[in-house]
């Protein structure tokens, strides 16, 4: 009878312990999912703001750039020998502009990498939670022995 009294409180404490652990794990998973959702929303907002700024700046720069290209074509046409045709100036200026544009595009694409969009805080938090859960699991197994 004395052994029955010891078993019942211990089993009820183990049951409540497991219930508490399950509730905490459930809460932890919900919180981590909410953190990931919030962080991804934040990263998306930052990317959209950057893209909008680039698009507006690009539209303004495009008009000025076209005017400068036209001026460069006229200037080069004056510098080239008179027996050459005007389209040669346009090809030379267009080729140089295309090369510069390609270099700028490559540099911009390097700045937008998938790694920058990773939810690093959430990943770090999940790794910490995993380590904590493993440690907690070992402690519970030791207590049950």
């Amino acid at each position: 009878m004395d052994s029955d009294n010891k078993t019942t409180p211990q089993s009820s404490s183990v049951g409540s312990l497991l219930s508490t652990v399950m509730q905490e794990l459930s809460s932890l998973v919900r919180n981590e999912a909410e953190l990931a959702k919030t962080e991804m929303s934040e990263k998306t907002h930052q990317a959209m703001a950057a893209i909008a700024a680039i698009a507006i700046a690009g539209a303004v720069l495009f008009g000025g750039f076209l005017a400068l290209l036209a001026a460069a074509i006229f200037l080069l046409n004056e510098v080239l020998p008179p027996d050459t045709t005007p389209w040669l100036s346009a090809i030379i200026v267009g080729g140089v502009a295309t090369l510069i544009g390609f270099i700028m595009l490559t540099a911009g694409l390097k700045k937008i990498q998938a790694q920058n969009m990773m939810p690093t805080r959430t990943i770090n938090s999940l790794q910490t939670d995993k380590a904590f859960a493993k440690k907690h699991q070992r402690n519970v197994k030791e207590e049950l022995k």
Side-chain angles (χ1 to χ4, degrees), residues 4-97:
D4 286 344
N5 288 341
K6 287 183 180 178
T7 308
T8 306
Q10 184 181 12
S11 65
S12 68
S13 68
V14 168
S16 66
L17 178 64
L18 289 176
S19 174
T20 303
V21 166
M22 291 306 292
Q23 289 173 352
E24 288 180 6
L25 282 175
S26 176
S27 175
L28 178 64
V29 168
R30 279 192 302 272
N31 290 342
E32 291 298 338
E34 186 63 31
L35 176 62
K37 184 175 150 184
T38 302
E39 190 172 1
M40 286 307 294
S41 174
E42 185 179 291
K43 297 278 186 178
T44 302
H45 179 71
Q46 290 173 353
M48 293 304 289
I51 289 170
I54 290 169
I56 292 169
V60 171
L61 286 172
F62 186 65
F65 185 67
L66 289 177
L68 289 175
L69 284 178
I73 290 170
F74 289 131
L75 178 65
L76 188 57
N77 194 38
E78 293 295 322
V79 173
L80 288 177
D83 59 339
T84 60
T85 57
W87 58 264
L88 183 60
S89 299
I91 288 177
I92 293 170
V93 171
V96 170

Side-chain angles (χ1 to χ4, degrees), residues 25 28 32 120-136:
L25 282 175
L28 178 64
E32 291 298 338
T120 54
R121 293 182 303 204
T122 301
I123 291 171
N124 290 338
S125 179
L126 286 172
Q127 289 171 344
T128 303
D129 293 343
K130 180 181 175 184
F132 176 75
K134 283 184 179 181
K135 181 180 175 185
H136 190 66

Side-chain angles (χ1 to χ4, degrees), residues 90-113:
I91 288 177
I92 293 170
V93 171
V96 170
T98 302
L99 179 64
I100 292 170
F102 181 74
I103 292 168
M104 292 172 68
L105 177 66
T106 304
L109 289 175
K110 285 182 182 178
K111 289 181 181 180
I112 299 178
Q113 294 178 349

